[in-house]
């Protein structure tokens, strides 16, 4: 956690300069450079998310995790998240399908944590899928006198066994720990998702069958209340 600034600063510089180079390539009609620049941009974001996950896990374990509540429009946030993961999905031959309620409205929550949870869940779905579709369905539902935002991430990937489901949200646990494992991952992302959901007063569940894909359901109050962690 003490090294977070030293790790994040150069990565943010790479991301920023890559975005500038993409704009320059479009302005100069040098479109052949854009696919490689997009790959650098996507890989940098992916590495930054991994660093953020480790940093957040360290803060959670040391009881130093704060909530920064702000009100934001859900639709633009979702569009931004999908745009970020699209290059990674294209590399796997996957397609993102987004289905949002027409009246999603606003949400008062920790924008960074909600966004990071979605990135982690979509990245996880992409990691275990190939040449298929990954659906993000977002709805607003009233339950127990309060509004909740429901995020469903549905993939058609390899799915999980009952034993794997039991270990799913444990940090640094990989579904396939063998040296020749086909699928990457630090085993941190889903543990962070669970912790962030609980910190914001929500929860996450998963439905999966081996060989038949996986559905993650993340429920977060539309108006999160800051509490002492």
């Amino acid at each position: 956690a003490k090294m977070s600034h030293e790790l994040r600063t150069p990565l943010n510089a790479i991301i920023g300069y890559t975005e500038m180079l993409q704009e320059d390539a479009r302005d100069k009609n040098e479109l052949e450079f854009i696919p490689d620049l997009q790959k650098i941009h996507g890989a940098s974001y992916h590495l930054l998310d991994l660093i953020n996950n480790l940093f957040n896990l360290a803060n959670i374990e040391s009881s130093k995790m704060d909530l920064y509540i702000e009100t934001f429009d859900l639709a633009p946030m979702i569009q931004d998240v999908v745009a970020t993961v699209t290059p990674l999905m294209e590399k796997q031959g996957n397609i993102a399908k987004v289905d949002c309620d027409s009246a999603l409205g606003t949400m008062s929550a920790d924008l960074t944590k909600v966004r990071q949870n979605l990135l982690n869940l979509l990245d996880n779905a992409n990691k275990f899928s190939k040449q298929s579709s990954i659906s993000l369905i977002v709805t607003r539902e009233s339950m127990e006198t309060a509004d909740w935002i429901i995020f469903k991430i549905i993939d058609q990937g390899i799915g999980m066994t009952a034993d794997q489901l039991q270990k799913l949200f444990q940090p640094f646990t990989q579904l396939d720990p063998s040296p020749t494992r086909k699928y990457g991952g630090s085993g941190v992302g889903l543990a962070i998702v669970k912790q962030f959901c609980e910190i914001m007063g929500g929860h996450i569940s998963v439905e999966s069958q081996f060989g038949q894909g996986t559905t993650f359901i993340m429920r977060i109050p539309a108006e999160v209340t800051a509490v002492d962690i």
Side-chain angles (χ1 to χ4, degrees), residues 74 100-106 138-140 147 149:
L74 279 160
C100 297
D101 273 357
S102 57
L104 272 181
T106 62
V138 189
T139 57
R140 188 183 194 100
D147 280 3
I149 308 301

Side-chain angles (χ1 to χ4, degrees), residues 129-148:
S129 306
K130 197 162 187 177
Q131 296 180 337
S132 65
S133 63
I134 296 170
S135 298
L136 171 60
I137 303 171
V138 189
T139 57
R140 188 183 194 100
E141 298 179 12
S142 294
M143 294 182 289
E144 299 175 358
T145 71
D147 280 3
W148 290 71

Side-chain angles (χ1 to χ4, degrees), residues 44-94:
S44 300
Y45 254 117
H46 185 55
L47 184 55
L48 184 61
D49 280 333
L50 290 175
I51 291 170
N52 286 337
N53 283 340
L54 291 170
F55 176 63
N56 288 324
L57 188 63
N59 277 338
I60 290 170
E61 291 181 345
S62 63
S63 300
K64 293 181 180 179
M65 180 57 64
D66 295 319
L67 284 178
Y68 300 94
I69 307 299
E70 58 183 301
T71 301
F72 55 92
D73 288 323
L74 279 160
M77 182 274 292
I78 293 165
Q79 291 174 358
D80 177 61
V81 167
V82 173
T84 299
V85 299
T86 293
L88 297 174
M89 289 191 177
E90 289 176 347
K91 188 177 179 181
Q92 289 281 89
N94 293 322

